[in-house]
Amino acid sequence: MSNELKNLRTYLMTGVSYMIPIVVIGGVLIALSIALSGVEAGTGANVTNPILSKMLNIGVKAFGLMVPVLAGFIAFGIAERPGLAPGLVGGALANEIGAGFLGGIIAGFVAGYTAKWIKTWKVPTQLRAIMPIFVIPLLGSLVVGTVMYIIGAPISSLMESMTNGLKSMGTSNAVILAIIMGAMIAFDMGGPVNKVAFMFGAAMIGEGVYTVMGPVAVAICIPPLAMGVATLLSPKKYSEAEKEAGKGAIAMGLIGITEGAIPFAAADPIRVIPSIVTGSAIGAAIAAMGKVGDHAPHGGPIVLPVVDNKVMFMVAVIVGVAVAAFMVNALKKEVQEEIIENDDPGEIDIEF
């Protein structure tokens, strides 16, 4: 059972890893085009410049590929090349029926396991050559398409109910939601938990609710900025490689790329992950209390021109970064203190 759960996570992360560049392309281009065009009260973004309009369109098209790419490469991870086409088809259907991110995950697993099962069929020698390029993609697409049309309505209804529930929330509930979403954003820094929170915030923009993406936009940039700042505040607690990574993390944080904190979390998850989760949750809560809104499906200071209540946005980011940076440095020891010599001079032990 544990091996199977590990495999499921591996397949999911395969899809997420291929989706990340699409998220970056779409998010940054949309944010830049809107930021350079401005936002009008009551109407939101107003991109009229022809060049910026084309930039926005590129970003929107990239965002439209997120769910198909996610589903396609989940299926690819399970069944290799024969699973890719059914996964892409299932992801496109998830977009069409409004099932969104969760629907794409389901489509990827259905397509992948269907293709993997069909690969085990005993077929005549004459059919073997066309199985991976015709039979498996065709049958896999029919199966995943049928499943998506069956489950599409319930998933779409659930998302609609969540939207309506969010619109009716009071201030206190909005803060609690922001804390949860801020923690999710930081927990796996671009992984599936992060993407659920991000996609929910982005979906709310389409519903005219900008005060969900606002806290998410704050939480997105806190992990990389905090780890970069932490290396500057306590350089003795980080290796040379980590200090170099810290510079890159600050740059990534400024344009809303949470993955900039991954090298630090991979090296020291016990101290880093709780710190950035705490910082992002607090930053998101402050943003919710300040009614910060974000009109672009992206995060970090790059979206500041399209943010409602810019002062509170920056206050939330600064407080969140400070909390995470001071917390992780309080938990960490100096690098020299963590290296303990053992009986063999050719080896060292690292104390965690």
Side-chain angles (χ1 to χ4, degrees):
M1 180 62 71
S2 61
N3 286 338
E4 186 60 28
L5 289 175
K6 184 177 180 181
N7 288 339
L8 291 176
R9 182 183 182 280
T10 299
Y11 302 147
L12 182 59
M13 291 310 297
T14 299
V16 170
S17 66
Y18 280 99
M19 184 179 69
I20 285 174
I22 302 296
V23 174
V24 173
I25 293 168
V28 171
L29 290 180
I30 290 173
L32 280 175
S33 60
I34 295 175
L36 295 174
S37 300
V39 176
E40 293 183 358
T43 60
N46 183 27
V47 182
T48 57
N49 181 282
I51 295 176
L52 294 179
S53 178
K54 288 181 173 57
M55 181 188 296
L56 175 64
N57 188 52
I58 294 171
V60 170
K61 296 302 182 186
F63 255 50
L65 292 173
M66 283 196 300
V67 174
V69 168
L70 172 66
F73 282 96
I74 288 175
F76 177 84
I78 297 170
E80 298 180 331
R81 186 162 60 96
L84 181 59
L88 291 170
V89 171
L93 287 172
N95 266 348
E96 181 181 300
I97 63 179
F101 177 69
L102 295 177
I105 292 175
I106 294 171
F109 280 111
V110 171
Y113 279 110
T114 299
K116 187 176 182 179
W117 172 58
I118 297 175
K119 285 172 67 176
T120 65
W121 290 4
K122 303 296 184 183
V123 298
T125 304
Q126 297 86 339
L127 291 178
R128 290 178 185 172
I130 64 171
M131 286 294 288
I133 61 173
F134 178 72
V135 177
I136 298 176
L138 177 63
L139 295 180
S141 296
L142 287 173
V143 170
V144 72
T146 301
V147 171
M148 293 313 297
Y149 280 123
I150 291 173
I151 69 171
I155 293 177
S156 181
S157 297
L158 176 61
M159 293 182 69
E160 184 177 351
S161 298
M162 291 173 66
T163 301
N164 293 334
L166 179 63
K167 289 181 176 179
S168 65
M169 276 185 175
T171 304
S172 59
N173 287 331
V175 172
I176 293 172
L177 178 65
I179 291 172
I180 294 171
M181 295 183 74
M184 290 173 66
I185 287 291
F187 178 71
D188 57 357
M189 296 150 284
V193 177
N194 169 289
K195 287 298 180 287
V196 168
F198 173 79
M199 293 298 291
F200 183 70
M204 292 303 99
I205 294 176
E207 300 293 331
V209 180
Y210 306 111
T211 50
V212 175
M213 194 65 208
V216 170
V218 167
I220 282 172
C221 67
I222 286 174
L225 288 176
M227 294 313 303
V229 170
T231 63
L232 298 176
L233 293 175
S234 299
K236 292 184 179 180
K237 296 186 176 183
Y238 299 90
S239 67
E240 289 301 320
E242 286 176 320
K243 284 183 277 190
E244 287 301 314
K247 298 173 184 176
I250 292 175
M252 293 180 74
L254 292 174
I255 61 172
I257 308 298
T258 317
E259 288 81 358
I262 288 178
F264 301 94
D268 192 0
I270 295 175
R271 297 180 180 94
V272 172
I273 292 178
S275 301
I276 59 176
V277 164
T278 301
S280 287
I282 290 174
I286 293 172
M289 289 186 286
K291 300 188 183 304
V292 173
D294 179 11
H295 293 253
H298 199 67
I302 192 174
V303 300
L304 195 60
V306 295
V307 164
D308 299 327
N309 201 340
K310 296 176 175 57
V311 173
M312 286 304 297
F313 178 92
M314 291 309 302
V315 168
V317 170
I318 292 169
V319 172
V321 168
V323 168
F326 282 108
M327 182 174 172
V328 73
N329 282 346
L331 294 173
K332 275 183 169 290
K333 300 176 182 178
E334 291 188 6
V335 173
Q336 294 89 336
E337 294 178 0
E338 292 192 343
I339 301 177
I340 305 173
E341 294 184 0
N342 62 14
D343 295 334
D344 185 347
E347 299 179 359
I348 57 173
D349 293 330
I350 306 297
E351 181 184 352
F352 291 101

